[in-house]
Amino acid sequence: MKKRWIGLVLIFLIIAVSAVLILLFKRDKKAEPAPEYVFYYADNQTEDYPTTQGDKKFAELVYERTNGRIKIEVMCDAKMGSEREVINQMKYGGIAFARVSTSQLAEVIPDMNVLLLPYLYNDSEHMWRVLEGDIGDEFLAKADEYDLVGLSWYDAGARNFYSTDKPITSVEDCAGMKIRVQESAMMSDMVSALGATPVEVTYSEVYSALEKGTVDGAENNWPSYQAMGHNKLAKYYTIDEHIRVPEMQVCSKVVWEMLDSADQKIIEECAKESAVYERKLWTERENLSKQIAIENGTQVIYLDVEEKQKFRDAMSEVYKKYCSDDMDLVEKIINY
């Protein structure tokens, strides 16, 4: 009899505890309502890359400040297509947010080419003075020309050349080389002006192109060079800092117009905060990537002032082709 009572008590306790757990679970579910909007954010970089981490910080801030009403899923590793494909999808609202290179935006918004001119900036500080001032704001607004909303600027460092079989120590060394470039007319013209042959290859296919000998070299910043393993194949890295290509966080205008003014303001604020975060991560990652590459055999070639000027001089026709009507603005940026 005693055992029977003990058994009944245990059954009662199990039922009571289960009921409490079910109530707590239901209460927690109520505390986290389903988002009103779920949007996708596209980036072609790897999971741990500074821009991707900046994207995630942006998504996190938006979620917090809208109390979970707006949820943004960051899709990295080019899962949503190349940058050009992403930009086209955003025009129609297929993708809500993205981090894209200004060089890709310039393909559909030619005015952006001014920011991409070779050797335009003296250094990183010079570029950020431009982007964080009135000129930068004007260029963010230009995204509207392709049904996009410019939100903020991300850092992507300076781009340099790297090669497989021989180092690039002078303009003459470029002659006859096949150099990978982004899907960008200006980048192709820049490489052609140096006497090399530009080969447009999507970012995810560069390693294969270097491995197969489709290209003799490429150009990019330290983190991209190291993160994608290009340093394993192209051991010569020439510091010429030919281009500092700022990157832009953008929103599809179709999506933007779905949101009320309060949410738009939150998104703008979060985008700017995530940009500060990304720049900090970029500096740290750039230094680390450079260190890792050098420790694994990369040979760094530094151009002296005289040789670097020869690279600049070779760009005169590029300036004329892309910015002949904007030379006043170019001068303003150079002297900003």
Side-chain angles (χ1 to χ4, degrees):
M1 188 73 176
K2 185 175 180 182
K3 289 183 178 178
R4 183 181 176 189
W5 276 103
I6 292 173
L8 290 172
V9 170
L10 287 173
I11 291 171
F12 174 78
L13 287 172
I14 291 170
I15 293 171
V17 169
S18 298
V20 170
L21 290 174
I22 290 171
L23 288 171
L24 288 172
F25 177 76
K26 287 183 176 179
R27 188 180 71 179
D28 287 344
K29 294 295 280 184
K30 288 180 181 178
E32 295 184 8
E36 184 179 349
Y37 299 106
V38 178
F39 296 125
Y40 284 114
Y41 189 124
D43 198 311
N44 67 348
Q45 297 289 1
T46 56
E47 182 82 22
D48 63 343
Y49 202 75
T51 60
T52 308
Q53 292 302 306
D55 306 339
K56 290 185 175 183
K57 172 61 72 173
F58 168 69
E60 176 188 313
L61 292 171
V62 170
Y63 188 79
E64 289 176 355
R65 293 181 191 175
T66 60
N67 297 314
R69 287 186 301 100
I70 299 178
K71 185 175 182 180
I72 300 171
E73 298 281 357
V74 176
M75 308 295 286
C76 56
D77 289 311
K79 291 187 181 74
M80 305 198 81
S82 67
E83 286 190 278
R84 181 176 291 181
E85 291 167 338
V86 166
I87 292 169
N88 286 334
Q89 290 182 67
M90 293 185 76
K91 183 177 176 66
Y92 305 103
I95 296 172
F97 298 95
R99 185 283 311 156
V100 293
S101 171
T102 312
S103 63
Q104 293 301 301
L105 285 174
E107 292 295 295
V108 293
I109 308 172
D111 285 352
M112 292 283 183
N113 280 315
V114 173
L115 294 179
L116 309 178
L117 289 172
Y119 309 104
L120 180 66
Y121 308 106
N122 298 325
D123 50 33
S124 177
E125 289 74 19
H126 180 197
M127 183 184 75
W128 286 111
R129 282 199 306 274
V130 172
L131 297 182
E132 293 181 338
D134 59 320
I135 295 176
D137 290 342
E138 289 171 9
F139 276 97
L140 284 176
K142 286 183 183 294
D144 183 71
E145 296 177 19
Y146 201 73
D147 294 325
L148 299 171
V149 177
L151 298 174
S152 68
W153 300 101
Y154 271 7
D155 197 358
R159 300 177 75 97
N160 301 288
F161 289 111
Y162 47 93
S163 50
T164 54
D165 297 329
K166 66 175 184 179
I168 295 174
T169 62
S170 66
V171 173
E172 289 74 21
D173 288 334
C174 297
M177 292 184 70
K178 293 174 292 184
I179 305 282
R180 176 266 171 177
V181 294
Q182 303 173 68
E183 297 165 287
S184 163
M186 182 187 286
M187 297 295 280
S188 291
D189 287 340
M190 179 194 75
V191 167
S192 294
L194 295 173
T197 301
V199 181
E200 290 193 1
V201 178
T202 57
Y203 181 64
S204 59
E205 297 298 322
V206 177
Y207 187 95
S208 177
L210 289 167
E211 188 174 41
K212 294 175 181 177
T214 306
V215 296
D216 303 310
E219 53 81 45
N220 217 316
N221 52 58
W222 277 110
S224 294
Y225 167 70
Q226 182 269 322
M228 297 300 284
H230 299 170
N231 60 301
K232 297 175 183 177
L233 301 171
K235 292 291 186 180
Y236 303 106
Y237 195 90
T238 301
I239 305 293
D240 73 310
E241 299 181 329
H242 49 266
I243 288 180
R244 291 184 178 274
V245 182
E247 310 211 318
M248 191 186 289
Q249 281 199 97
V250 292
C251 176
S252 164
K253 195 172 182 181
V254 174
V255 171
W256 186 255
E257 292 177 347
M258 291 168 52
L259 305 171
D260 61 32
S261 59
D263 284 341
Q264 290 174 352
K265 183 177 180 182
I266 288 172
I267 286 171
E268 286 179 330
E269 290 173 349
C270 294
K272 286 180 169 53
E273 287 185 40
S274 70
V276 174
Y277 177 75
E278 188 271 345
R279 282 170 62 183
K280 176 178 178 293
L281 292 182
W282 179 268
T283 301
E284 294 171 355
R285 179 60 181 272
E286 189 171 52
N287 291 334
L288 178 61
S289 294
K290 180 178 180 180
Q291 179 184 340
I292 292 173
I294 291 173
E295 288 175 353
N296 283 276
T298 291
Q299 297 181 39
V300 185
I301 297 93
Y302 294 93
L303 302 178
D304 60 31
V305 175
E306 183 179 344
E307 193 59 48
K308 195 169 183 178
Q309 187 59 47
K310 292 179 182 178
F311 279 78
R312 290 192 181 99
D313 293 341
M315 296 299 115
S316 59
E317 292 302 314
V318 176
Y319 271 58
K320 290 178 183 177
K321 178 175 179 178
Y322 290 95
C323 298
S324 59
D325 295 330
D326 295 309
M327 290 311 296
D328 288 343
L329 176 58
V330 171
E331 286 297 319
K332 182 178 178 181
I333 291 175
I334 290 174
N335 297 303
Y336 202 81

